[in-house]
């Protein structure tokens, strides 16, 4: 069997050790898994959603928040609406700003850029968001680091300082007076603007030309700042996502992972060149990045050069356990992990007028409430990757089946689990010619695809749709037919 190897678009098509196309699939140890379609989860907000956050209170009750340019919302499973929980004056985010949320105890804190006051919503007592107390700076980035709330790329009232970060008082997100209760700020003036902030036991601060780690030391120093990477930084602020202490990001020359000590290239000789040619950097502010820990993939939604309007239309995915990539042709304005709200039988009417119309199976844990799932937003609605499997395409490398001679392929045996398959074979006689594919053909009752495809160089394209689960590879039958 010719197994479907990893997607390596940066390698030459001829004798590529992997596959040249892997679209609408998830990487697997052998071949590829199906990827669920992106389906509506909520009713509409007033504008394009610019942030999503799932929270659980101390009693394990879940809430799902979202925000657009003018409002913050709370999802209500009773009617599937996004109910405004904005402060009375509302908000005014610019095109390049978005909402970023953290949870500190039972408080949800949101930063909406340097034009908005940080907002707070208590899961036990609040009905709307309010300005966070203590006069914190306005900020692009927010994170929780140990017992502190951090803000970075800030405006503290005297103008924007893109290389400055603040932290709150110890265990008090409303304490922001420098020198009081361990609250203070730090400038990082030699490495460009801060482009990412990731919390945890220590703070990872990504800048345009370096990466810093801030480690808690306690009074009097409070935090020790170390420039742990000086040879590169993060060029695109919306490209940062993390799983645990591992941070993924995009620099000008490709994708990287940072483990707290060192940076490792993860896209070199694999997808970096493909992405640089496919990514329309005029819309870099519309990129979104997040990690789906169930499928063990980091995802980046981006605007491709084929998009006619600047709408993000593709998602590139990296399985950080297998070190493999794939691509999806999906329009998504935002990516985020979520918790389901839980549905009664009557509440299912909010998702579909009929049982047959439900895009999610009735026995799915999705309906139980409090269950993790991965999704995001498209336009003014929350979406989820809970639909039926996407129709997918996998294309093998090109290879000569007999050195210097023509070959005739007569049969292809596709190996997959479930779904409907067609196979087409592409050929050419010389490396200077363009290759062309024959017609796509379905397997017959004997399980093979009957073909007559003649040429010196061959490649195969499998299209798979319906309720499929895995695509593993193909076998071929061919014979030499001489030199010409």
């Amino acid at each position: 069997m010719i197994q479907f190897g990893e997607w390596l678009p940066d390698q030459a098509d001829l004798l590529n050790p992997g596959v040249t196309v892997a679209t609408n699939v998830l990487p697997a140890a052998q071949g590829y898994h199906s990827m669920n379609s992106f389906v509506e989860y909520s009713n509409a907000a007033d504008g394009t959603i610019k942030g999503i956050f799932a929270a659980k209170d101390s009693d394990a009750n879940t809430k799902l928040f979202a925000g657009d340019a003018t409002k913050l919302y709370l999802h209500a499973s009773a009617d599937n609406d996004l109910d405004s929980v904005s402060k009375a004056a509302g908000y005014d985010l610019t095109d390049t700003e978005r909402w970023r949320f953290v949870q500190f105890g039972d408080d949800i804190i949101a930063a909406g850029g340097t034009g908005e006051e940080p907002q707070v919503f208590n899961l036990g007592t609040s009905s709307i968001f309010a300005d966070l107390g203590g006069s914190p700076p306005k900020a692009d980035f927010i994170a929780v680091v140990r017992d502190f709330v951090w803000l970075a790329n800030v405006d503290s009232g005297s103008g924007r300082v893109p290389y400055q970060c603040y932290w709150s008082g110890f265990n008090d997100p409303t304490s922001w007076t420098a020198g009081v209760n361990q609250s203070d700020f730090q400038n990082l003036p030699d490495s460009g603007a801060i482009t990412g902030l990731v919390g945890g036991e220590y703070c990872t601060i990504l800048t345009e030309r370096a990466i810093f780690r801030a480690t808690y030391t306690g009074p009097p120093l409070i935090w020790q700042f170390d420039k742990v990477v000086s040879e590169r930084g993060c060029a695109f602020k919306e490209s940062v996502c993390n799983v645990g202490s591992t941070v993924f990001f995009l620099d000008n020359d490709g994708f990287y992972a940072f483990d707290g000590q060192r940076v490792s290239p993860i896209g070199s000789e694999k997808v970096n060149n493909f992405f640089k040619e496919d990514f329309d950097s005029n819309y870099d502010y519309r990129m979104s990045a997040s990690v789906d820990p169930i499928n063990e993939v980091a995802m980046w939604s981006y605007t491709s050069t084929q998009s006619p309007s600047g709408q993000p239309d593709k998602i590139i995915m990296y399985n950080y356990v297998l070190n493999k990539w794939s691509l999806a042709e999906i329009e998504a304005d935002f990516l985020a992990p979520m918790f389901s709200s839980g549905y009664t039988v009557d509440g299912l009417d909010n998702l579909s007028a009929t049982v047959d119309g439900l895009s999610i199976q009735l026995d799915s844990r999705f309906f139980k409430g409090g269950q993790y799932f991965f999704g995001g937003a498209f336009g003014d609605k929350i979406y989820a990757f809970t639909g039926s499997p996407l129709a997918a395409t996998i294309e093998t490398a090109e290879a000569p089946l007999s050195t210097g001679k023509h070959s005739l392929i007569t049969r292809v045996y596709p190996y997959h689990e479930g779904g409907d398959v067609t196979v087409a074979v592409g050929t050419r006689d010389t490396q200077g010619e363009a290759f062309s594919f024959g017609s796509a053909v379905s397997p017959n009752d004997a399980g093979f695809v009957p073909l007559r495809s003649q040429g010196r160089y061959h490649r195969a394209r499998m299209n798979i749709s319906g309720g499929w689960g895995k695509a593993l590879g193909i076998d071929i039958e061919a014979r030499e037919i001489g030199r010409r």
Side-chain angles (χ1 to χ4, degrees), residues 390-428:
L390 291 164
T393 301
I394 303 171
E395 193 171 303
T396 69
E398 183 179 75
L401 301 182
S402 180
T403 303
K405 296 181 181 180
H406 280 64
S407 299
L408 177 66
I409 293 179
T410 57
R411 294 183 179 185
V412 176
Y413 293 82
Y415 298 110
H416 61 98
E417 292 184 357
D420 301 309
V421 162
T422 63
V423 176
V425 173
T427 62
R428 59 179 171 176

Side-chain angles (χ1 to χ4, degrees), residues 133-148:
S135 300
K138 302 172 183 178
D140 279 339
F141 303 105
I142 186 169
V144 173
V145 190
R146 293 176 63 99
D147 298 300
F148 301 82

Side-chain angles (χ1 to χ4, degrees), residues 1 23-24 28 48 51 76 95 113 116 166 168-169 206 210 218 240 245 291 297 346 349-350 392 394 411 417 462:
M1 181 177 73
T23 303
N24 293 343
T48 299
D95 285 345
E116 299 294 339
Y166 271 75
S168 71
L206 297 101
V240 179
S245 59
V291 168
V297 290
D346 292 337
D349 290 342
N350 300 316
I394 303 171
R411 294 183 179 185
E417 292 184 357
M462 176 191 284

Side-chain angles (χ1 to χ4, degrees), residues 317-356:
M317 295 169 284
Y318 172 65
N319 186 303
Y320 47 83
V321 175
L322 301 174
N323 195 27
K324 293 181 178 180
W325 294 83
S326 64
L327 187 72
E329 294 178 344
I330 293 174
E331 292 184 324
D333 289 294
F334 199 80
L335 299 172
M338 307 182 201
F339 295 116
S340 59
S341 300
Y343 287 85
T344 63
V345 172
D346 292 337
L348 294 178
D349 290 342
N350 300 316
L351 296 180
S352 174
T354 66
V355 171
D356 290 340

